[in-house]
Amino acid sequence: MSEIRVFPDSRALANAAAEYFVNTARDSIAERGRFTVSLSGGNTPRALYALLATEFFAKQVDWARVHIFWGDERCVPPDHAESDYLMARESLLDFVPIPSTQIYRIQAENDPVQAAADYEALLKAFFPNTPNFDLLLLGMGDDGHTASLFPHTTALHEKQRWVIENYVDKLGVWRVTLTLPALNAARRVLFLVSGDAKAEPLRKVLQGIYQPDEFPSQSIKPLSGHLIWMVDAAAAALL
Ligand code: 6PG
């Protein structure tokens, strides 16, 4: 089941996402004693993370029961400007009382193949059967990619592994990313999409012909989970 929620602007979008985050955290902790969340990178979620770090939202989360993962990471050191981990640390994790042992960073500064294998081992030790994160955050690039599943890259076709190294030709870089089997195992998937540059790709992803190699975000179909697209009016302009 999926739904699309459109908000007037990026501020309203971030607020709605923060409310969704704290509500999902509360319900997950009530039901299972913990909240497992996979963060996305890039720029869009920064406003969400900064809101979650404010007292109003932070006090609503029992951070001692939160476990933080990532859906992908750039192959750079954790103090590099491009690091998704660094962005989350600087906007959220340094400001909330979450035990450092519950922050599971992708060690993408290492060899990509080794980093992917290590993160898969970490996930398999944490999730015995399937990586059914309580909440998995995703963004969408203006080429329709999500996580580090870029158009026409080999990672798109991985059906067994949960984490894989992926060389992105057009950027000339390696990434480490969760695969579609892992991303689609989540209980709840929340796409955050903002800005007019996303209007055309969002229309193609949501309303265009199904061509997942061209628009990998079309492949996000949670097996038994719930998919929500939260988008601002600028991104939704062509829907
Ligand atoms: C990353 C993200 C990536 C991101 C999209 C959208 O590591 O960059 O995982 O999938 O969500 O590229 O990025 P923006 O929010 O910056 O547009």
Side-chain angles (χ1 to χ4, degrees):
M1 183 228 179
S2 71
E3 64 176 294
I4 301 171
R5 298 180 192 175
V6 182
F7 298 90
D9 54 37
S10 58
R11 184 177 176 76
L13 172 62
N15 261 287
E19 282 173 17
Y20 190 82
F21 184 105
V22 300
N23 291 338
T24 307
R26 182 196 58 236
D27 296 348
S28 304
I29 291 166
E31 287 170 37
R32 290 177 292 279
R34 71 185 191 186
F35 174 51
T36 57
V37 53
S38 175
L39 300 183
S40 62
N43 297 312
T44 304
R46 196 188 292 267
L48 162 62
Y49 300 162
L51 267 184
L52 289 172
T54 63
E55 192 201 356
F56 177 77
F57 283 106
K59 71 185 179 192
Q60 297 181 54
V61 178
D62 181 358
W63 295 99
R65 293 183 180 274
V66 177
H67 296 260
I68 301 271
F69 302 82
W70 275 264
D72 68 317
E73 184 57 278
R74 291 87 179 275
C75 289
V76 295
D79 59 355
H80 189 284
E82 284 291 303
S83 165
D84 289 333
Y85 161 80
L86 182 65
M87 186 273 279
R89 241 201 54 207
E90 290 181 335
S91 53
L92 173 59
L93 301 179
D94 284 354
F95 305 99
V96 290
I98 182 169
S100 60
T101 52
Q102 294 174 200
I103 298 174
Y104 310 91
R105 181 176 71 84
I106 299 174
Q107 298 181 333
E109 68 275 20
N110 299 330
D111 166 74
V113 175
Q114 189 60 53
D118 290 346
Y119 208 63
E120 174 146 338
L122 182 151
L123 291 181
K124 292 207 164 180
F126 192 94
F127 296 101
N129 302 311
T130 182
N132 55 351
F133 297 100
D134 294 311
L135 178 60
L136 182 112
L137 299 178
L138 289 175
M140 186 195 76
D142 54 14
D143 60 356
H145 83 262
T146 190
S148 285
L149 300 175
F150 285 79
H152 307 296
T153 56
T154 50
L156 285 174
H157 308 294
E158 177 58 43
K159 297 285 184 269
Q160 304 303 320
R161 292 172 62 180
W162 292 4
V163 187
I164 196 166
E165 65 286 347
N166 197 28
Y167 186 73
V168 186
D169 259 328
K170 78 173 198 180
L171 301 177
V173 297
W174 282 95
R175 294 279 187 96
V176 175
T177 185
L178 266 59
T179 61
L180 288 171
L183 297 173
N184 282 324
R187 296 172 189 272
R188 290 181 173 276
V189 178
L190 174 57
F191 261 108
L192 293 183
V193 185
S194 170
D196 51 20
K198 305 290 175 75
E200 182 57 24
L202 188 64
R203 182 189 64 77
K204 288 178 177 171
V205 165
L206 295 179
Q207 299 175 344
I209 56 172
Y210 183 66
Q211 38 184 358
D213 263 28
E214 190 67 32
F215 298 103
S217 294
Q218 291 182 324
S219 298
I220 299 301
K221 303 176 178 190
L223 287 178
S224 57
H226 191 81
L227 170 59
I228 297 187
W229 291 79
M230 288 191 181
V231 304
D232 63 13
L238 301 178
L239 296 183

